[in-house]
Amino acid sequence: MSHISLEKVHKSFDKGQDVIKDLSLEIFNDEFLVLVGPSGCGKTTTLRMIAGLEELSQGDLYINGNHQNDEDPSSRCLSFVFQNYALLPNLTVEDNIVFGLMNHPYTRLEKKRRVEEIARKLSLYEKLGSYPSQLSGGQKQKVALARALIDSSDIVLFDEPLSNLDAVLRESMRNELISLQKQFKTTCIYVTHDQVEAMAMASRIVLMIDGSIIQVGTPYQMYHDPNHLDVATFIGSPEINVIKISMKNHEVYHDQEPITVNDKLKDIMEIHEIFEAYVSMRPQDIKVSSVKKEHTTKGKLILVEHFGVNKLLHIDALGQTLRVLVSADYMETKELYVDLTGDAFVFDLQKRRMRQTIQRTLIISEYPKNFEDIRVVKELLNYGYEVNEGLMDMDLIYDHKKGVYQFKNQGSWIQLHHMKELLNYLPYIKDIEPNGV
Ligand code: ATP
């Protein structure tokens, strides 16, 4: 059981600018949390602060409710898996793995038994007598993994552990890691700059940009309900399209030219009284046709990428390149007409997501009393949700008899065994209408 809390953490090196800015995050027991973001955004620094390899400049770090800022790395009950494996070249695989038990008072025989057990689980048994130079990249990473898992640490931290492997091996190691995490029930924090890896592995994703958390959510939320334009553009492949628009007298323009978009977008802009915005559309939500139709915009095909069942058309339209995903059997023509009336997100010029509603509020029957549930409320506040106690219109009710929560999800009630399961349903937390109703 391991719970990590970061509260208003800042980090600067040599009294320079903050490279981590006001970072607050709750990491729950048994989670596979992935920190993702572009190079230099502060992922490794965050991981190293959790490990105790870097000091916090400001803020607090707790593990299981215990303050850790001044604790030694060795007392934090965690292990680290690095990108470069960090194996000792002059030791055999067996001795490299035993290294992970350095701080344990087991007998030699007991250590051997444990090494053999984990080596079998990771298909390394045959290699116990080999040296690192005799192993493939994937096998080396498995040895590093075995060394991290063998001392039954409650928390395992991974810093881009698969980035040295080729694409096929990376994918199989990804699956292996996820199943190992389920088996060992460790809390994992995993750093990568690869959003595909993040989407494939995470129970929750933390997207960082420039030292700040931009959004935390399940892979589903990050893709379908981004809070920020940078989330929409970072998550999802092929990349989302972004079109700058303006609105005047309920008409939408791009570069002074009238265009037709989904009516919902206009409503959202009117609700928020914004007259310029970014409209963002996934490549599968833009439709194309070879004949002009009402409300379509003319474009020119410049490139086709084939992805098996689909292909991606790159179309020169609206003075930019639009990416449109069509089925592989679509017969493309050189001149095309794009239809922008499909589903889209709206972001203001500060890149913040504009929704039809303003404040998302969770009304709970009573404030929780146990440690983990209190931290769920804390995490909701970190994300900008409001949490209120109320007797009417409740969204989350604690059923004392059964010891479970009931959550109102789009009109029907679902049962949650732990309040942290609520984090999978954030998009369904009810909105308060803009006029406060
Ligand atoms: P990458 O994906 O490239 O590894 P990252 O997101 O992990 O990047 P960090 O390594 O955490 O980013 O670095 C965040 C910022 O802190 C960068 O601007 C980096 O230059 C700076 N930084 C990291 N370590 C130090 C250090 N020891 N001294 C000074 N600056 C540092």
Side-chain angles (χ1 to χ4, degrees), residues 13-14 19-20 37-46 54 159-160 191-193:
F13 290 100
D14 309 323
V19 296
I20 300 295
S39 182
C41 69
K43 308 178 292 288
T44 298
T45 305
T46 305
E54 273 322 329
D159 194 359
E160 309 235 17
V191 159
T192 177
H193 60 268

Side-chain angles (χ1 to χ4, degrees), residues 314-407:
H314 294 246
I315 299 171
D316 182 8
L318 303 173
Q320 65 188 86
T321 303
L322 297 179
R323 289 169 294 279
V324 181
L325 198 64
V326 293
S327 69
D329 55 6
Y330 180 81
M331 294 288 288
E332 67 266 16
T333 48
K334 270 213 158 136
E335 289 209 334
L336 291 160
Y337 294 88
V338 292
D339 177 343
L340 302 172
T341 58
D343 282 347
F345 304 116
V346 190
F347 300 90
D348 69 6
L349 294 190
Q350 284 72 49
K351 303 188 182 177
R352 292 170 305 196
R353 172 83 181 280
M354 298 286 113
R355 296 185 170 83
Q356 268 172 315
T357 49
I358 290 186
Q359 182 64 56
R360 295 179 152 198
T361 305
L362 180 77
I363 309 212
I364 54 180
S365 57
E366 58 188 288
Y367 277 111
K369 294 183 182 65
N370 76 48
F371 175 78
E372 192 173 81
D373 293 357
I374 292 168
R375 291 286 157 175
V376 175
V377 171
K378 177 103 201 356
E379 187 73 330
L380 290 173
L381 301 177
N382 286 342
Y383 300 167
Y385 287 80
E386 260 188 32
V387 179
N388 293 326
E389 204 172 7
L391 293 171
M392 305 262 291
D393 291 332
M394 287 175 292
D395 308 301
L396 189 72
I397 296 175
Y398 185 61
D399 182 335
H400 285 268
K401 261 195 193 150
K402 292 186 183 155
V404 295
Y405 286 95
Q406 302 286 350
F407 172 60

Side-chain angles (χ1 to χ4, degrees), residues 179-199:
S179 67
L180 280 170
Q181 190 258 345
K182 293 214 163 85
Q183 240 181 78
F184 285 82
K185 292 198 182 307
T186 41
T187 304
C188 293
I189 310 177
Y190 186 102
V191 159
T192 177
H193 60 268
D194 178 356
Q195 62 91 22
V196 176
E197 205 163 277
M199 291 291 274

Side-chain angles (χ1 to χ4, degrees), residues 18 156 186 204 212 380 389:
D18 279 359
V156 184
T186 41
R204 283 194 306 148
S212 300
L380 290 173
E389 204 172 7

